[in-house]
Amino acid sequence: VQVGLFVKKYEVIKTIFQNDALPMMPKHKEAEGFAPTNIALCKYWGKRDRDINLPVTSSLSVTLPNKGSTTRLSMAEDGMDHIVLNGEKILDDSQFYLRTVDYLNLFRPRSNWHLNIDITMNIPVAAGLASSACGFASLLFALKNLFQWKLNKRELSILARLGSGSACRSIWNGFVEWHAGIRADGMDSFGEPLYYEWPGLVLGILTVNANIKPISSREAMQRTVDSSVLYTAWPKKVAQDLSIIKQSLRVRSFSLLCGTAESNALAMHATMLSSWPTICYYLPETIALMHQIWDLRRHGLQIFFTQDAGPNLKIFFLEKDEKFVRAHFPTIEVIPLFVK
Ligand code: 2P0
C-alpha cells in the first residue's frame, strides 16, 4: 500500500516539475518558510482519493493572518531526519514524524540526504485549529526556498495538498476556495483566492480543551464516508452552502456568511455522529458554549460559531462588538482576519 501511495504522489510531482529537475540538490544549506493556518467556513469532509487527498466536495476557508507555522530547515549529517516541534523533539515512531518524513521522501534528492526540521507554531497543535494545514504548507514553503523552485502558487497548492488536504488553502491570505476538481490525477484540485477584503471581521477562539484529540480528522473523515447514513446528503449541503457563502461575500452580508458557516459545521458534525462507531468531538463545555452563543444571538448580538475536528469553537463577530464579546468570553483569543 505504501509503495502504491508513493507512486500516485510521485506522478503528481513529475507533472508539476515537468519530468525534470527532480531530484536535484538544494541551492542553500538552510531555509525557512511561514504559512498561516486557515479555518473553513464550508468544510472539507471526505475524500474521493485517499492517496493524493482529493476531496469529495469543494470547500472555502478564511486564513488567519500571522497565526500559523514557521519551518526552518538545515542539513542533518547523521543519517536521519530530526524534527523539533515548538522546542520539543518529535519521536521517530510518532504519526507526526512518519507523516512528515513520508512527505519529505517525495522531494529527497538522494536516499542518504536528511534534514533537521524545526517547526514553530503559534497555535495549539492538534486541537482542531488546522495545525496540519499550516504545518505542511510551511514545510513546503521552506523546501521551495531551500531548492529555489520556480513554482507558482497553484502548483504549490497542489503540492501542499499531498501533505494534508486543507494545506492547499494555506497558500493565500483572505478567503480561499479549494476546488474539488474531477480529474483522477488531481491536477484540477487546488486552492484559489477570492479577493474580498472584510476589515472588521474578527475571529475568536474559545478553547475548551487543547489536548490531543481522540481520533484524527483523517481517520474520522474516512469513517464518516464509510459508515454515515447522512453522508449522501453532505455534497448537496456543501453545494448550497458554497453558493450562499460566495453570494454573501459579494453583497457583504455578515449574518448570511457566518450563519451559513455555522449551519455547515453543524451538518458536518451530524454526519460524524451518525457514523459507527460514532465520532463525537463535542464536550459538555462545547455544547454549553453553543447555547450561550445562541442565547446572545437571540438578544441581538451578531455572533456565530464554527467547529472543526476538536471540541473548541471559533466564533465570528464584528470588531464593533469586541468589547461585548470579551465581556461574555473572558478567555477568548481574538484574531482580526483582515489586518489594516
Ligand atoms: C476543513 N478539516 O475543511 C476540515 C473541517 C477538519 C474539519 O481539513 O487527511 O488535516 O490531511 O487531508 O486536511 C482537517 O483535515 O486532512 C480538515 P488530510 P486535514 O478544515
Side-chain angles (χ1 to χ4, degrees):
V1 176
Q2 276 311 97
V3 172
L5 202 147
F6 188 80
V7 167
K8 228 168 175 176
K9 285 185 174 167
Y10 203 73
E11 285 302 316
V12 176
I13 303 279
K14 268 185 7 199
T15 309
I16 297 264
F17 289 94
Q18 295 173 343
N19 300 316
D20 57 36
L22 256 188
M24 59 188 166
M25 292 312 285
K27 296 274 192 289
H28 299 295
K29 284 205 147 48
E30 297 179 354
E32 127 173 10
F34 171 82
T37 194
N38 71 76
I39 298 296
L41 298 161
C42 183
K43 308 293 188 188
Y44 150 51
W45 200 250
K47 303 181 198 205
R48 65 184 165 91
D49 186 314
R50 288 151 75 177
D51 295 347
I52 53 175
N53 295 332
L54 296 178
V56 172
T57 70
S58 296
S59 57
L60 195 151
S61 62
V62 63
T63 293
L64 274 53
N66 310 321
K67 283 276 171 194
S69 170
T70 301
T71 298
R72 289 183 191 83
L73 302 177
S74 63
M75 297 304 138
E77 310 295 350
D78 61 349
M80 71 177 285
D81 301 307
H82 299 273
I83 306 179
V84 171
L85 174 60
N86 290 339
E88 289 199 22
K89 191 173 165 51
I90 298 289
L91 297 178
D92 60 13
D93 58 356
S94 66
Q95 269 304 101
F96 190 100
Y97 184 92
L98 296 172
R99 264 183 81 178
T100 308
V101 165
D102 252 14
Y103 189 65
L104 204 55
N105 286 342
L106 297 169
F107 308 103
R108 232 183 269 282
R110 291 193 313 257
S111 57
N112 64 351
W113 180 90
H114 296 281
L115 287 176
N116 297 309
I117 304 170
D118 187 350
I119 307 165
T120 316
M121 291 187 187
N122 59 359
I123 52 165
V125 174
L129 284 164
S131 52
S132 76
C134 61
F136 278 102
S138 75
L139 173 57
L140 180 70
F141 281 137
L143 287 167
K144 173 188 183 285
N145 293 336
L146 192 75
F147 287 95
Q148 291 288 297
W149 293 328
K150 304 265 180 292
L151 297 176
N152 62 38
K153 288 203 160 184
R154 181 171 288 187
E155 292 164 330
L156 289 171
S157 178
I158 290 173
L159 292 181
R161 196 196 73 228
L162 299 182
S164 185
S166 51
C168 80
R169 301 185 307 230
S170 271
I171 306 298
W172 295 271
N173 279 318
F175 298 102
V176 178
E177 181 174 4
W178 172 11
H179 300 284
I182 52 168
R183 289 174 58 142
D185 66 0
M187 294 310 290
D188 56 355
S189 185
F190 45 73
E192 184 193 2
L194 305 170
Y195 293 105
Y196 296 98
E197 295 276 319
W198 204 317
L201 185 64
V202 179
L203 180 92
I205 300 175
L206 301 176
T207 303
V208 164
N209 185 322
N211 292 333
I212 305 299
K213 52 196 166 196
I215 173 170
S216 71
S217 52
R218 178 162 289 193
E219 220 181 305
M221 71 171 84
Q222 195 52 45
R223 190 187 297 172
T224 307
V225 173
D226 292 341
S227 73
S228 166
V229 67
L230 297 185
Y231 194 72
T232 49
W234 176 247
K236 252 183 276 174
K237 169 73 176 155
V238 168
Q240 273 170 8
D241 288 351
L242 269 179
S243 133
I244 298 171
I245 286 173
K246 284 195 263 185
Q247 177 64 7
S248 69
L249 289 173
R250 281 191 285 273
V251 301
R252 203 180 269 224
S253 166
F254 172 73
S255 56
L256 193 60
L257 176 74
C258 298
T260 309
E262 183 176 304
S263 154
N264 184 270
L266 287 164
M268 175 182 74
H269 284 275
T271 68
M272 290 188 221
L273 287 172
S274 66
S275 303
W276 192 258
T278 192
I279 302 157
C280 180
Y281 284 113
Y282 298 136
L283 288 178
E285 299 91 319
T286 315
I287 304 278
L289 281 172
M290 286 180 183
H291 283 282
Q292 196 183 348
I293 289 161
W294 291 324
D295 215 36
L296 286 167
R297 213 151 75 212
R298 268 195 296 275
H299 286 89
L301 183 65
Q302 290 288 289
I303 169 177
F304 298 88
F305 68 83
T306 189
Q307 183 189 0
D308 294 294
N312 306 320
L313 294 186
K314 294 100 190 186
I315 59 175
F316 295 102
F317 56 95
L318 294 169
E319 200 179 18
K320 66 179 175 62
D321 295 323
E322 184 172 335
K323 234 171 139 179
F324 200 71
V325 170
R326 278 188 191 275
H328 283 277
F329 304 100
T331 61
I332 196 170
E333 185 171 356
V334 174
I335 303 168
L337 290 172
F338 292 85
V339 185
K340 286 162 224 160

